[in-house]
Amino acid sequence: MDTKVLYVTAVLIAAISGGYYYFGGKSNKLQADSSKSMTYSAEKINLTQTDEQGKLSVRAKVDRLEQDLQKQTSHLVNLHASTYKDGVVDATFFAKQAKGIDDNEKVILSDQVVATKLMRDGKMEFHTQELTAFPKRKEIETDKTVTVLSPQAEFVSQGLKANLNDGQYEFFNIRGKYEP
């Protein structure tokens, strides 16, 4: 048999097979975006993140992470995170549960939440059951009861809004004691 005939036959078989594969049932096709619907999980994660100048900006430890790429959400168990400013720890966060939304633009911490802001004259701790953080803006807020402990005061607030960049805090319905 002539090699030209063999070549034409092979090309014809390949074209028919490719056409069947391509035009066949959708369930048989490989879909490039199928990986977006996957959910990933990992355990015992240590994260170190730097800013645009290469300075340390975030360090975190998580016992378990589940991430859904299609919904752009994540679920974390036992989150311990520290944010840095000029290479020094600026604030720390702990929560037994955390849920990241919109690729972690918004993070909802829940279950025994402790947020600590380190200051020149000590630290300010916020204890609550739920706290929403906006990591890129360095803002936190909640409408839940917050117990605040600082060197000058101990009080309970029914909600909180704070900008950790400039130290502006807004508390609601405060009860407690203050010592200047």
Side-chain angles (χ1 to χ4, degrees), residues 11-26:
V11 168
L12 187 60
I13 291 172
I16 291 171
S17 298
Y20 176 76
Y21 174 76
Y22 184 77
F23 293 108
K26 281 199 179 268

Side-chain angles (χ1 to χ4, degrees), residues 112-130:
Q112 298 180 15
V113 178
V114 178
T116 306
K117 172 65 174 157
L118 302 175
M119 304 176 299
R120 280 182 251 136
D121 58 341
K123 63 183 179 179
M124 183 180 294
E125 285 187 0
F126 307 98
H127 297 260
T128 187
Q129 284 302 309
E130 183 176 288

Side-chain angles (χ1 to χ4, degrees), residues 5 9 11 35 80 93-94 102 106 113 130 134 141 147 149:
V5 174
T9 305
V11 168
S35 65
H80 295 267
F93 301 90
F94 169 79
D102 292 332
K106 176 180 178 181
V113 178
E130 183 176 288
F134 301 92
E141 64 183 38
T147 302
L149 306 171

